Each structure stands twice: as structure tokens, then as C-alpha cells.
Amino acid sequence: MPAPIASELAYIRFVSVENMMKLVHSIGLETMLKDLARYIEDDFRRWEKFDKTPRVASHSAEGVIELMPTSDGEDYGFKYVNGHPKNTREGLQTVTAFGLLARVDTGYPELLTEMTLLTALRTAATSAMVASHLAPKGARVMAMIGNGAQSEFQALAMRAICGIDTLRLYDIDRAATEKVVRNLKQKGFDLVPCATPEEAVEGAQIITTCTADKQYATILTDNMVGSGQHINAIGGDCPGKTELHKDILARSDVFVEYPPQTRIEGEIQQMPDDFPVTEMWQVITGVAKGRTSARQITLFDGVGFAIEDFSALRYLRDKLHDHPHYQELDIIADPDDPRDLFGMLQRARPVG
Ligand code: NAD
């Protein structure tokens, strides 16, 4: 990485929600999901290079606020994200986020961005990238349980990366399912709204659970899961917030991002501390096996890890060269003499 020039560091690039929407349309949503999956897979391949820590969570009765930092030694990134399942009742989103990328050599930030949309994109790209390694060959049908903010992105990534063309939809709130049907009806899916979760999982090779409720919920019971299915369980991502009955975990092969975080937050919080899991980076690098038989139940206990956000930030920085949807943000002090911060303050002294 070339040394920075001081004048270049006076401003950082800022991607607002408005500019993120423009960027997604100018790149193309499905292209972006595929690109993000590639960036995430590349970073999983160099997993051992990263500083890793479970995210730093601040819990309240209503939800959680989290910081998710990581670094590969050259860049440093973090995301601020919340999870408040009750928010939608008040017209607010369950998940909102923003993130930052900085240079390790100077510690100067380079990029600040909205990450609510980017989180939905990176979560969907991660789910589909993982499913491309674990789902049964030729999977076409996905059950989508929980039809909230993440769901259309999950569906589109699973189609772009894994070839899913049929969606069996279920949500306790019928209006959520109707929203997905409305949003995806021109997108070439076979859409099947279902009256129960049992109906939704019928004939599905992939089951995605993406519900929001701050409790030990049982979205899937053991009898609903058949041999050979791949479960993409991404809604349970906090202590005390799970989606699957533990009997499903006992008869599945469970794959995770970063075990120290997943054991706190994932479905496996219901299991003993030494419950065996396989890390996805090891499957991707060929160190560990993924799906080994057509009858095996594979379960991705996805909670969302900082490296996925780092990959998304890295991708965004690269794309801003050709798609300059950003503003310059005056967030770094730039005194003429680095030690004369006081002198810089005088620039804004009222005249007269
Ligand atoms: P959302 O509030 O927009 O949607 C959640 C949906 O789940 C709602 O439509 C709700 O009616 C439905 N639901 C709740 N209980 C249900 C049940 N028992 N059966 C069926 N449907 C039910 O939330 P969202 O932004 O789509 O996020 C969903 C979940 O995914 C949240 O818990 C969030 O924290 C989690 N999440 C995980 C990751 C990750 O990386 N793993 C990333 C983003 C979000």
C-alpha cells in the first residue's frame, strides 16, 4: 500500500444510505451479491491472518448493540450494529448498522459507510457462499421462514449463487409474506406462500430460518427436518435468542464462522461447550470436510462475523473507484503542523 499524502487524508469517503442505494443499482444487485460472496470467501481463505474476537455486545431487555472489529494487518474495520426485535412494532427496523475502514499503517480512517443495506447484502452473500459448499447438489427449492428485512436478499443470493428457483414462504405475520411476494414477483421465482412452517419445509432442499424474537424460539422442530437437507439458521444471533430445537443440532453436522462467538450467540449455545462443530474457513481451504453424503443434514449456525463486514467494506472501497457514489467527509483534523492543533482551531475564529 503506497504511503498516504497528508492532503489526501483531510477527508474520508462517506457512503450515505442514498448513495448505497445508487451504488447497488449501478453495479446490479445480483452481481453485487456474487462479488461479495467472492470477497467473503477470499477472506475466509486467509482466515489465519486476521485479528479475531467475539463481538463486543451491550445487552438490554429490548435488544443488543454490538461492535464488530477485525484487522488483516493492512486494514482495520469495524461495524456498529443493533438487534431490537420489538422495533418493527414501532415502525423502526430490527437491525441498523454503519461501519468504518481504516489504514493500519497510519491509523487514519478511509471510509465511513451506512451498513444496514450492506449487512443484508453481506449476510445473504455469506449464507449463499456457505450453501454453495454444503447444500445438496442441484438444490432448487428453499423454505424461507421469517419474511422480514433480510429475506429478499437471502432469496436473491441463493438464486444467484446456488440456483434456487422456488421459494416456500412462511411468517407468523402474513403481511410480511405478502411483502416478499410483492417484491419478488417480477424476479422469476416460483413463490409459494405457506400457512404453516411444516408446509413451508415440504420438499425444500434448503431451509433458511431468519426470524426475530428475543427468546429461545422453536421455529423448527426435529420432525420437520429430513435427511439430506441444508439448514441456513441465521436469525438466532444473541444469548437467549435461538430458532431450532436442540434435537436438530444433535443429528446435524454443524458448521460455524468463529466458534468463540457462536458458542455465545448461536444455536449451539443450547449444547455443551465441547459440542463438535466445523469452522467454515476450514471447509473452504480443504482442511475439513463439508457435505460428505446425500443423507447428511448440514446446518450453518450463522451469527454474522466481523470478517464478513470487513470483506464488504473492502469491496465497497474497491468499487468506489468506478462507481463514485460518495461524499467527502471532514472528520480528520488537518493542522498545518501536526503538533499545532491549537493553531488549526484559529482557522475558524470569528472575524472582527
Ligand atoms: P425483521 O424484524 O425485519 O423480520 C423478522 C421476521 O420474523 C418478521 O417478519 C416476523 O414476523 C418474523 N417472525 C418472528 N417470529 C416468527 C416465527 N415464530 N415464525 C415465523 N416468523 C417469525 O428482522 P430481519 O432484519 O429480517 O432479521 C431477522 C433476524 O436475523 C434477526 O434476529 C436478526 O438479528 C438476524 N440477523 C442475523 C444476521 C447474521 O449475520 N446471522 C444478519 C442480519 C440479521
Side-chain angles (χ1 to χ4, degrees):
M1 191 180 275
I5 302 162
S7 61
E8 280 178 3
L9 297 176
Y11 293 92
I12 71 168
R13 284 173 289 175
F14 169 59
V15 181
S16 62
V17 176
E18 179 75 24
N19 271 325
M20 183 62 78
M21 294 192 292
K22 288 181 182 159
L23 184 85
V24 172
H25 287 295
S26 77
I27 294 172
L29 180 50
E30 293 198 20
T31 302
M32 193 160 168
L33 288 163
K34 284 194 267 192
D35 287 349
L36 280 168
R38 210 171 41 248
Y39 270 63
I40 294 166
E41 191 171 81
D42 286 349
D43 284 342
F44 272 53
R45 241 180 258 290
R46 54 192 195 105
W47 191 260
E48 285 162 301
K49 281 212 158 73
F50 285 89
D51 267 351
K52 292 176 282 294
T53 179
R55 61 185 151 200
V56 182
S58 173
H59 295 279
S60 62
E62 296 81 20
V64 64
I65 295 176
E66 298 165 325
L67 290 177
M68 304 173 68
T70 192
S71 170
D72 66 353
E74 207 165 292
D75 296 304
Y76 172 93
F78 77 83
K79 180 169 84 173
Y80 165 103
V81 64
N82 77 306
H84 286 68
K86 59 121 190 96
N87 271 7
T88 50
R89 290 197 296 277
E90 295 157 18
L92 303 172
Q93 296 169 102
T94 299
V95 175
T96 63
F98 68 88
L100 182 136
L101 196 65
R103 298 176 65 115
V104 168
D105 59 356
T106 58
Y108 270 44
E110 277 193 314
L111 170 66
L112 177 70
T113 178
E114 87 78 44
M115 285 192 84
T116 304
L117 275 167
L118 199 55
T119 293
L121 292 162
R122 77 82 157 122
T123 304
T126 303
S127 288
M129 182 277 284
V130 167
S132 74
H133 290 276
L134 299 179
K137 289 264 165 306
R140 304 281 292 273
V141 183
M142 176 165 87
M144 181 79 231
I145 300 180
N147 300 158
Q150 309 301 317
S151 55
E152 293 90 346
F153 298 95
Q154 288 285 322
L156 288 166
M158 286 290 188
R159 185 176 64 189
I161 293 159
C162 304
I164 289 300
D165 60 16
T166 302
L167 287 178
R168 300 180 65 83
L169 301 163
Y170 174 74
D171 194 291
I172 43 170
D173 180 355
R174 191 188 295 211
T177 305
E178 286 166 2
K179 173 218 55 160
V180 174
V181 171
R182 217 169 33 246
N183 284 338
L184 295 183
K185 72 170 183 284
Q186 306 296 345
K187 303 279 183 198
F189 284 102
D190 191 357
L191 298 168
V192 188
C194 298
T196 63
E198 287 79 2
E199 187 188 332
V201 300
E202 264 172 40
Q205 292 96 28
I206 299 179
I207 304 173
T208 290
T209 55
C210 190
T211 65
D213 206 352
K214 204 167 180 353
Q215 60 159 334
Y216 293 108
T218 309
I219 309 299
L220 291 182
T221 51
D222 194 28
N223 61 326
M224 291 163 70
V225 178
S227 67
Q229 282 177 318
H230 172 66
I231 305 170
N232 173 42
I234 56 163
D237 57 358
C238 250
K241 178 165 168 254
T242 57
E243 295 183 301
L244 310 184
H245 192 284
K246 62 192 234 186
D247 289 354
I248 299 172
L249 304 178
R251 69 186 178 104
S252 304
D253 286 304
V254 178
F255 298 83
V256 302
E257 292 140 317
Y258 180 55
Q261 182 176 310
T262 314
R263 289 195 193 277
I264 299 169
E265 302 178 354
E267 297 301 320
I268 56 169
Q269 66 185 275
Q270 305 177 74
M271 306 307 269
D273 288 348
D274 58 352
F275 181 74
V277 295
T278 305
E279 295 182 52
M280 260 330 285
W281 73 272
Q282 295 189 319
V283 175
I284 289 162
T285 53
V287 174
K289 289 192 166 45
R291 175 171 286 276
T292 49
S293 87
R295 296 189 56 75
Q296 180 186 18
I297 300 167
T298 51
L299 164 53
F300 175 48
D301 187 359
V303 292
F305 188 57
I307 292 176
E308 294 145 29
D309 299 308
F310 181 93
S311 313
L313 287 164
R314 207 165 58 73
Y315 172 74
L316 182 61
R317 181 181 58 195
D318 291 354
K319 285 293 150 184
L320 290 179
H321 289 300
D322 296 333
H323 304 268
H325 295 295
Y326 63 85
Q327 294 153 267
E328 289 186 334
L329 195 63
D330 177 20
I331 203 174
I332 306 292
D334 62 340
D336 299 331
D337 169 352
R339 283 170 301 188
D340 192 7
L341 194 59
F342 188 84
M344 185 194 78
L345 179 63
Q346 308 318 310
R347 287 184 204 157
R349 194 177 45 195
V351 197

